[in-house]
Amino acid sequence: MDLFGPVNIQSIAGKKYTLVIVDEYSRYTWVIFLRCKSDTPEELISFVKKREVLNNLTVRSIRSDHGTEFKNSSLNNFFENKGISHNFSSVRTPQQNGVAERRNRTIIEAARSMLSDSHLPTQFWAEAVNTACFTQNRSLIIKRFGKTAYELFIGRKPSISFLHIFGCQCFILNNRDQLGKFDPKADDGIFLGYSSISKAYRVFNKRRQTVEETIHVTFDETRSANSKPIADNEELNAWMLSHYRETEPFFPNHQHSDPPTADDDPNIIHPTAESTSWVSAEPLNTLLPSNLPSSENLSSESTQQLIADEPQSSSSINIQIVDPSSELSNNAPAQRWTKDHPIDQILGHPDVGIQTRRSSGNICLFVNFLSLIEPKKTDDALRDPNWVSAMQEELTEFSRKKVWNLVPRPSDKTVIGTKWVFRNKLDEHGTVTRNKARLVAQGYRQEEGIDYDETFAPVARLEAIRLFLAYAVYKDFIVYQMDVKSAFLNGKLNEEVYVEQPPGFYDPKHPNYVYKLDKALYGLKQAPRAWYDTLSSFLISENFERGKIDNTLFFRKIKGHIILVQIYVDDIIFGSTNPSLCTRFAERMKKEYKMSMMGELTYFLGLQIKQSDKGTFINQGKYVKDMLKKFDLTQTSAMKTPMAPPLTLNKDPSGKPVNVTTYRVMIGSLLYLTASRPDIMYSTCLCARYQSEPKESHLIAVKRIFRYLKGTPNLGLWYPKDSGFDLTGYSDSDFAGCKLERKSTTGGCQLLGGKLVSWTSKKQNSVSTSTAEAEYVAAGSCCSQILWMRNQLLDYDLQLSNIPIYCDSTSAIAIANNPVLHSKTKHIEIRYHFIRDHVMNGDIELHFIPTDFQLADIFTKPLDETRFNFLISELGMLNLEE
């Protein structure tokens, strides 16, 4: 085997390398396309396994050069387990690997000639290589046997009557669109090869600007589809500018002639997982190059030997419209009618694949009335009828909700300006689905005490959200989510506020008048508070009770059942032990406000939540992948732990400075991720201490955390059912762990029946003079959180006492149990001694636990891989992939 690359120009699927594998006996060849060299071990291991299963063959020996892609621990372990002998050619002696080297050269020269003859762009090199390998396996004669490689390997003579000239012109039947009586029935296309996953040809559709797989093709091999140079080819230039996109495979019900098939070929290589999604009945929605179903995404050659039967082109397709007189007189070329149009007239992003009628049924309702450009100025928006319609929709909503009244301009009041904000709403595939124009007030011109008084609006803590989900698992009910549309426009104002008329929409009779607001407007400083007051008043009027500790929690008890509602600005989650209560609540809210029911809770505040019969899983896998892509760390190698012991990170005054903004953005992203990833809490907080003057050593530590996340993107919290609901706490500290100030680090976590709800890792405010003092301060911090959770659970109708806190310091436990002050403890601040009162009152109990079983140890210091994996497992963290 041999590897060639990197190719200067990436293939249409973003690949740069090609692995060529040749069978020693038959000279049968496979080609595997790779994005980088590091993918070689994984692909090679997969290839060997497929040969064993699909062909019932055993690989005995492998010969390669000394490249690191072949010489590594992964392959060494695999070959050792399989009993495969791995032979290497001598250094700088490629002739010892001559079989693979010569076949490598033959395929490259053939592909180069095919691209040159067809005038296709170089980005099609992988298609050419794949087709060259496919045809050579069926055409080149092995001299010593007088047979082709295909016949020697498969055991029967290949059928080659279905082969066609690469890059030739073809005509593709169009039975996707609703055609008129005299519309052309076929599109111009370019033949690219043979499908590796279906009974079809691979063709480039010039009108749709996509690569398709279909059996309904008529070939014209008398001329090349691109008889002019690439620079003069408008269709391909437009396609190259719009990048590469695919459509769903085409499987018609009526029969034409048979293209290549895999039914009778025993040497089938099945598509990978990313390719399998492409052959579904739904249109392709994934646009990343790694997911493209090109032949290079499959692990083979002519993976390639999939095609064994002889295909015959469809001969019934002919859409040429010819003037009979001209045809009789001079036999001039036929005039072809097409529906080509400039690329800039395509609505939606050009990268999005062609939609089927079924999938685009909803889009057709508004796709012709959307603008793809977000205007920066109001004048630009007023010139676009689509944005004018969006602004009128916003003002209509104002009138419906009776937000304001037009009045004469007051002389003794401040009038606040307004401005338009324009945003395109996208779906999960990046397609524009709505033009949203939002009228906002210029709240920065408001003065406290004159234009507003109180602005604070309670916001739910993340611990409260996790506690809500843990209780739902404990009581075995489903959590639902709903969203309030234009929530702030429902908030009633107590202050007298005036705003200018919207730019571009002035009253012609009263151009100098202003609007007096009856309800809040986006941008006003008191808008969040007004919305919260309005919503809470409504819920209280519906016999709900406000939480005593958490003012964003509302509950109602009815005949032994309870319904809980948690508010986070305009997002609401709710659940009940009686499903009918959820239905009644949703209907009541929809009647009072304009709301959209989003069904079961799946995504909330950046948390991906999966509810099942066995429990609830919380993670941020999508956010992890977005972060890795944002900071260009997707190609880095994975690490087993976020930080390696012992701790060596310090201020590093002589180190090389790095970009402060980039470092702070990375830290902020990681802190947001700690909402569901306690395993990176300590390492992230430690790196956050050096944000003022970050050095290269600090950046390396941060990147190690990202490399750890790359290996565990789907790790998250698992809340199992039937695990109880007992509240327990774990407290620990790392004495003098800070290298700068010699302060200790507090670590703690709280669990409800094995469900991790809260955790912390924080540098203590004062320097501790002993380990006992550091542990005592940490225990006080854990006690504070325990008491908050105990009071919070009162609203859930749960009363707890004698709550255990586990500490691995007997001295700290003795200090808490002994109320006597002496010289060893008199210097400890009084605020830490409140734990003594709660111990005496029976609210909490301090228990000793060996360090080996101290779960809070992960929040105070870096750990080795074995210890680290043990603790995250005990904390209830699971990998979704596993």
Side-chain angles (χ1 to χ4, degrees):
M1 63 182 62
D2 189 29
L3 184 76
F4 74 79
V7 181
N8 293 334
I9 299 178
Q10 291 185 359
S11 69
I12 54 181
K15 306 299 176 65
K16 288 187 175 182
Y17 296 87
T18 303
L19 177 62
V20 180
I21 304 176
V22 184
D23 177 36
E24 178 71 21
Y25 171 75
S26 65
R27 295 298 194 267
Y28 197 90
T29 307
W30 296 264
V31 289
I32 302 175
F33 299 95
L34 309 172
R35 191 176 301 275
C36 55
K37 283 187 177 182
S38 60
D39 296 339
T40 302
E42 179 182 355
E43 294 293 342
L44 186 53
I45 292 173
S46 175
F47 173 82
V48 172
K49 292 179 178 179
K50 288 177 181 177
R51 298 285 67 75
E52 294 177 350
V53 174
L54 301 177
N55 301 104
N56 196 23
L57 298 174
T58 301
V59 179
R60 297 181 179 179
S61 178
I62 290 179
R63 176 177 289 273
S64 67
D65 55 29
H66 282 270
T68 56
E69 63 272 15
F70 301 117
K71 197 173 183 180
N72 53 69
S73 59
S74 299
L75 288 180
N76 291 341
N77 295 335
F78 177 75
F79 292 156
E80 184 178 352
N81 294 334
K82 288 289 185 180
I84 299 174
S85 174
H86 192 182
N87 300 323
F88 296 95
S89 60
S90 298
V91 179
R92 298 182 181 87
T93 314
Q95 55 268 29
Q96 292 187 357
N97 194 25
V99 174
E101 295 283 355
R102 287 191 294 273
R103 180 50 59 92
N104 189 341
R105 182 183 61 187
T106 303
I107 292 176
I108 292 177
E109 290 179 349
R112 183 189 300 116
S113 300
M114 293 161 62
L115 290 174
S116 176
D117 180 70
S118 59
H119 299 289
L120 288 176
T122 309
Q123 280 79 359
F124 285 96
W125 66 265
E127 299 282 352
V129 167
N130 191 63
T131 304
C133 184
F134 181 90
T135 55
Q136 288 181 9
N137 279 335
R138 290 158 175 78
S139 59
L140 297 182
I141 301 297
I142 308 302
K143 290 185 179 180
R144 57 176 175 170
F145 298 109
K147 299 179 180 179
T148 63
Y150 182 93
E151 184 177 358
L152 290 172
F153 190 79
I154 303 300
R156 64 172 181 272
K157 290 185 178 181
S159 175
I160 60 174
S161 58
F162 63 87
L163 300 182
H164 296 280
I165 298 175
F166 180 83
C168 70
Q169 186 175 18
C170 61
F171 307 103
I172 310 162
L173 178 65
N174 178 16
N175 55 4
R176 290 169 161 244
D177 302 331
Q178 293 182 354
L179 302 177
K181 292 295 184 182
F182 300 102
D183 290 337
K185 291 185 177 180
D187 298 328
D188 285 339
I190 303 173
F191 174 64
L192 296 180
Y194 313 91
S195 173
S196 301
I197 58 176
S198 61
K199 190 177 180 180
Y201 297 103
R202 290 182 61 80
V203 293
F204 174 76
N205 191 315
K206 290 185 177 182
R207 179 177 69 85
R208 298 181 185 274
Q209 299 289 293
T210 57
V211 176
E212 302 176 356
E213 293 190 0
T214 175
I215 65 173
H216 297 275
V217 186
T218 297
F219 295 93
D220 182 5
E221 298 180 280
T222 60
R223 56 174 177 166
S224 171
N226 296 311
S227 57
K228 51 187 176 181
I230 297 299
D232 300 330
N233 194 302
E234 296 179 359
E235 295 93 344
L236 286 178
N237 280 338
W239 177 78
M240 295 302 298
L241 290 175
S242 63
H243 306 292
Y244 180 73
R245 57 192 173 109
E246 290 274 5
T247 64
E248 61 176 337
F250 182 60
F251 301 100
N253 296 324
H254 55 281
Q255 297 295 325
H256 281 261
S257 56
D258 295 333
T261 180
D263 296 339
D264 55 354
D265 194 334
N267 189 32
I268 299 177
I269 294 181
H270 293 281
T272 60
E274 61 185 11
S275 299
T276 304
S277 63
W278 180 80
V279 297
S280 63
E282 297 298 328
L284 178 69
N285 292 326
T286 304
L287 304 177
L288 295 177
S290 60
N291 291 336
L292 295 176
S294 66
S295 56
E296 50 191 295
N297 269 24
L298 302 177
S299 58
S300 125
E301 163 255 325
S302 13
T303 316
Q304 303 150 306
Q305 57 234 53
L306 279 168
I307 304 177
D309 288 348
E310 172 185 1
Q312 298 178 0
S313 303
S314 303
S315 58
S316 60
I317 305 175
N318 189 353
I319 64 165
Q320 293 185 338
I321 303 176
V322 184
D323 185 350
S325 61
S326 62
E327 184 177 12
L328 292 174
S329 59
N330 54 16
N331 197 25
Q335 176 70 29
R336 295 186 55 79
W337 291 84
T338 67
K339 294 187 285 184
D340 294 341
H341 55 278
I343 194 70
D344 57 358
Q345 294 183 11
I346 297 177
L347 293 173
H349 200 282
D351 286 351
V352 180
I354 301 300
Q355 301 284 335
T356 62
R357 289 190 294 272
R358 175 182 176 184
S359 64
S360 59
N362 295 330
I363 298 178
C364 292
L365 298 176
F366 56 82
V367 71
N368 291 323
F369 305 97
L370 296 177
S371 174
L372 303 182
I373 301 175
E374 293 181 353
K376 301 299 182 182
K377 299 180 180 180
T378 303
D379 293 340
D380 297 335
L382 292 173
R383 299 188 188 100
D384 190 330
N386 300 317
W387 284 110
V388 172
S389 177
M391 290 187 282
Q392 290 176 340
E393 180 183 355
E394 176 78 352
L395 297 177
T396 301
E397 190 72 12
F398 281 26
S399 300
R400 189 185 70 82
K401 295 184 177 180
K402 300 178 181 180
V403 174
W404 55 19
N405 293 305
L406 191 64
V407 297
R409 182 183 296 270
S411 57
D412 56 343
K413 297 290 183 179
T414 302
V415 179
I416 302 171
T418 58
K419 63 175 295 186
W420 289 101
V421 177
F422 306 99
R423 290 290 182 272
N424 282 329
K425 299 292 185 178
L426 309 176
D427 61 9
E428 62 273 19
H429 311 303
T431 304
V432 178
T433 59
R434 184 186 180 192
N435 295 140
K436 178 61 179 177
R438 176 80 72 187
L439 183 67
V440 301
Q442 297 174 335
Y444 59 86
R445 299 183 56 186
Q446 291 182 274
E447 296 183 19
E448 185 176 2
I450 299 177
D451 300 307
Y452 65 91
D453 294 320
E454 184 60 55
T455 62
F456 173 76
V459 177
R461 298 172 58 179
L462 287 175
E463 296 99 320
I465 301 299
R466 292 191 291 264
L467 193 150
F468 188 101
L469 296 174
Y471 182 78
V473 173
Y474 171 64
K475 287 295 186 179
D476 194 17
F477 64 78
I478 299 175
V479 182
Y480 298 92
Q481 180 181 20
M482 59 171 47
D483 179 49
V484 183
K485 295 184 178 179
S486 301
F488 286 1
L489 300 184
N490 296 288
K492 298 178 181 178
L493 291 176
N494 298 322
E495 301 87 1
E496 191 175 354
V497 181
Y498 297 88
V499 296
E500 298 282 0
Q501 296 187 42
F505 293 86
Y506 299 99
D507 190 299
K509 297 181 180 180
H510 308 285
N512 295 323
Y513 275 33
V514 296
Y515 282 105
K516 179 182 179 182
L517 295 180
D518 295 326
K519 295 184 179 180
L521 200 64
Y522 281 88
L524 292 179
K525 294 186 180 297
Q526 65 266 45
R529 176 74 180 191
W531 160 241
Y532 171 79
D533 290 340
T534 301
L535 180 59
S536 60
S537 299
F538 168 74
L539 292 176
I540 292 174
S541 67
E542 293 292 319
N543 298 322
F544 278 86
E545 298 181 43
R546 198 198 317 259
K548 302 297 187 298
I549 302 298
D550 185 3
N551 290 331
T552 63
L553 177 69
F554 294 83
F555 60 92
R556 183 181 179 186
K557 301 173 185 177
I558 304 175
K559 296 180 180 179
H561 294 281
I562 185 173
I563 179 172
L564 300 165
V565 179
Q566 188 83 55
I567 299 172
Y568 193 95
V569 191
D570 58 346
D571 291 320
I572 299 174
I573 61 175
F574 61 96
S576 174
T577 53
N578 186 349
S580 62
L581 296 179
C582 291
T583 304
R584 288 162 51 188
F585 173 74
E587 293 175 351
R588 187 69 184 91
M589 289 293 291
K590 285 184 177 181
K591 184 177 180 181
E592 182 69 17
Y593 303 107
K594 190 175 183 181
M595 308 193 70
S596 59
M597 187 68 179
M598 302 178 68
E600 292 187 17
L601 178 63
T602 57
Y603 191 82
F604 187 70
L605 304 182
L607 301 176
Q608 296 171 244
I609 301 168
K610 182 177 179 58
Q611 303 180 73
S612 66
D613 296 335
K614 297 181 180 180
T616 297
F617 184 74
I618 306 172
N619 78 319
Q620 293 172 275
K622 181 179 182 299
Y623 180 70
V624 170
K625 295 175 182 177
D626 292 342
M627 275 201 313
L628 293 173
K629 184 177 180 181
K630 176 181 178 180
F631 298 113
D632 195 21
L633 296 172
T634 55
Q635 301 300 325
T636 58
S637 58
M639 301 298 292
K640 299 295 184 180
T641 59
M643 184 170 288
L647 178 61
T648 59
L649 204 62
N650 53 40
K651 193 172 183 180
D652 193 11
S654 60
K656 180 181 177 180
V658 296
N659 187 283
V660 177
T661 302
T662 302
Y663 186 85
R664 291 176 179 176
V665 171
M666 297 175 79
I667 291 295
S669 301
L670 290 173
L671 288 174
Y672 178 72
L673 185 60
T674 57
S676 65
R677 296 294 296 265
D679 52 328
I680 65 170
M681 187 72 180
Y682 170 75
S683 53
T684 300
C685 292
L686 180 63
C687 293
R689 300 175 186 176
Y690 305 98
Q691 293 186 75
S692 58
E693 296 180 2
K695 305 295 182 180
E696 190 173 22
S697 59
H698 305 143
L699 183 61
I700 292 174
V702 172
K703 287 186 176 180
R704 180 188 171 94
I705 302 176
F706 279 95
R707 293 170 63 186
Y708 165 72
L709 294 173
K710 183 179 184 296
T712 58
N714 295 313
L715 191 67
L717 299 174
W718 171 244
Y719 290 172
K721 292 185 178 179
D722 302 326
S723 59
F725 210 63
D726 297 329
L727 178 59
T728 57
Y730 291 84
S731 170
D732 192 22
S733 73
D734 181 28
F735 176 63
C738 179
K739 299 296 184 181
L740 297 179
E741 302 171 334
R742 308 306 296 173
K743 294 180 179 180
S744 302
T745 302
T746 293
C749 59
Q750 294 77 35
L751 299 89
L752 285 168
K755 296 176 277 289
L756 183 60
V757 173
S758 177
W759 56 88
T760 183
S761 177
K762 184 180 179 182
K763 183 172 66 175
Q764 295 180 3
N765 295 328
S766 59
V767 178
S768 298
T769 60
S770 65
T771 303
E773 180 182 346
E775 294 281 358
Y776 183 69
V777 172
S781 176
C782 182
C783 178
S784 300
Q785 187 68 10
I786 286 288
L787 294 176
W788 176 84
M789 294 180 65
R790 188 195 66 164
N791 293 334
Q792 180 84 341
L793 290 173
L794 293 176
D795 296 330
Y796 290 83
D797 202 18
L798 293 174
Q799 295 183 358
L800 304 177
S801 60
N802 298 324
I803 302 171
I805 296 179
Y806 294 98
C807 177
D808 58 2
S809 173
T810 56
S811 300
I813 296 175
I815 295 174
N817 292 327
N818 184 5
V820 177
L821 291 176
H822 45 76
S823 59
K824 299 294 184 181
T825 61
K826 65 181 181 181
H827 65 282
I828 299 178
E829 294 186 28
I830 297 176
R831 61 192 179 99
Y832 295 121
H833 289 302
F834 80 99
I835 188 174
R836 291 178 171 178
D837 293 336
H838 293 288
V839 171
M840 295 179 64
N841 294 334
D843 297 330
I844 65 170
E845 294 179 350
L846 284 175
H847 297 279
F848 175 77
I849 187 173
T851 303
D852 292 342
F853 302 98
Q854 175 58 270
L855 302 186
D857 201 28
I858 196 174
F859 303 109
T860 60
K861 61 180 75 70
L863 304 171
D864 59 80
E865 181 182 350
T866 303
R867 174 73 173 158
F868 182 81
N869 291 334
F870 169 76
L871 289 181
I872 64 175
S873 175
E874 290 297 314
L875 288 173
M877 298 191 69
L878 295 179
N879 196 323
L880 183 61
E881 294 177 349
E882 298 176 356

